[in-house]
Amino acid sequence: MKLIIDVHYFDDKARIAGVAFDNWLDDKETQIFTSEYCGVADYKSGEFYKRELPCILKLLDEHHLTPEVIILDGYVWLDGVSKPALGYHLQQAIDFTPVIIGVAKNRHSALGDNFGVLRGGSQKPLYATAMGIDTDRAKEAIANMHGDFRLPTLIKKADSACRGHELV
């Protein structure tokens, strides 16, 4: 199973969604998991993972999830190779070893343009970093996911699900 995870914050709470799917080309999820987390830490620049990680761990634990691949809204490495970000910290916090791919909508200042992934007709790239898989293979997987737009269909569905909306 592959799992896309996204988190939406409101007040001091968070809603976490995990969209499960089997194949990179799938246009439909196999299941959607949701959790809520209370007492979310304040955002601190450079320490985003401290806010997001407990939320992700809650989803994984509450639903007993051990996917082969986890796709996060964010980074594994801020510079693409060695500066730890959310994905790295997630890998350190769990007791299984999935492939982790971070997909970010904006380029971090430490990240080179070579991590960009253009999709659909968009001229604005997504940025992919990874561990447990070669970065070029991760970029190719994200580029080939279902959907005609910048955001793949199932990543968009995870974003919608964590906001409490159904994607039509």
Side-chain angles (χ1 to χ4, degrees):
M1 167 182 61
K2 297 166 185 58
L3 186 69
I4 302 165
I5 301 175
D6 203 351
V7 181
H8 177 68
Y9 300 96
F10 48 98
D11 300 323
D12 69 339
K13 298 177 184 77
R15 180 178 170 96
I16 311 100
V19 172
F21 66 105
D22 293 322
N23 300 302
W24 289 107
L25 299 176
D26 288 351
D27 64 339
K28 299 271 187 220
E29 73 282 357
T30 56
Q31 195 165 356
I32 296 178
F33 303 93
T34 59
S35 295
E36 292 199 4
Y37 185 89
C38 296
V40 172
D42 290 336
Y43 172 77
K44 290 184 183 170
S45 181
E47 296 182 346
F48 172 67
Y49 73 92
K50 289 183 178 179
R51 178 178 171 97
E52 189 114 337
L53 184 58
C55 301
I56 293 170
L57 293 174
K58 168 98 185 255
L59 178 84
L60 294 173
D61 184 55
E62 187 172 299
H63 298 283
H64 309 288
L65 299 171
T66 56
E68 297 167 4
V69 177
I70 296 175
I71 301 164
L72 299 172
D73 179 15
Y75 288 97
V76 175
W77 308 103
L78 293 177
D79 63 356
V81 292
S82 65
K83 191 172 182 182
L86 176 60
Y88 169 83
H89 292 288
L90 173 60
Q91 182 64 51
Q92 299 304 302
I94 56 179
D95 61 359
F96 61 102
T97 312
V99 165
I100 300 179
I101 301 173
V103 178
K105 295 173 196 82
N106 298 301
R107 186 177 70 83
H108 188 276
S109 61
L111 191 71
D113 288 333
N114 56 317
F115 291 90
V117 177
L118 288 174
R119 288 185 34 87
S122 179
Q123 295 303 307
K124 187 173 181 179
L126 297 170
Y127 295 92
T129 58
M131 65 188 317
I133 187 174
D134 177 76
T135 301
D136 287 336
R137 285 188 57 212
K139 287 171 48 180
E140 182 180 340
I142 299 303
N144 290 324
M145 287 180 77
H146 181 271
D148 295 330
F149 302 102
R150 181 176 181 234
L151 280 179
T153 301
L154 294 178
I155 290 179
K156 190 182 275 189
K157 180 156 279 197
D159 177 74
S160 183
C162 75
R163 294 172 189 277
H165 305 291
E166 277 303 314
L167 187 63
V168 180

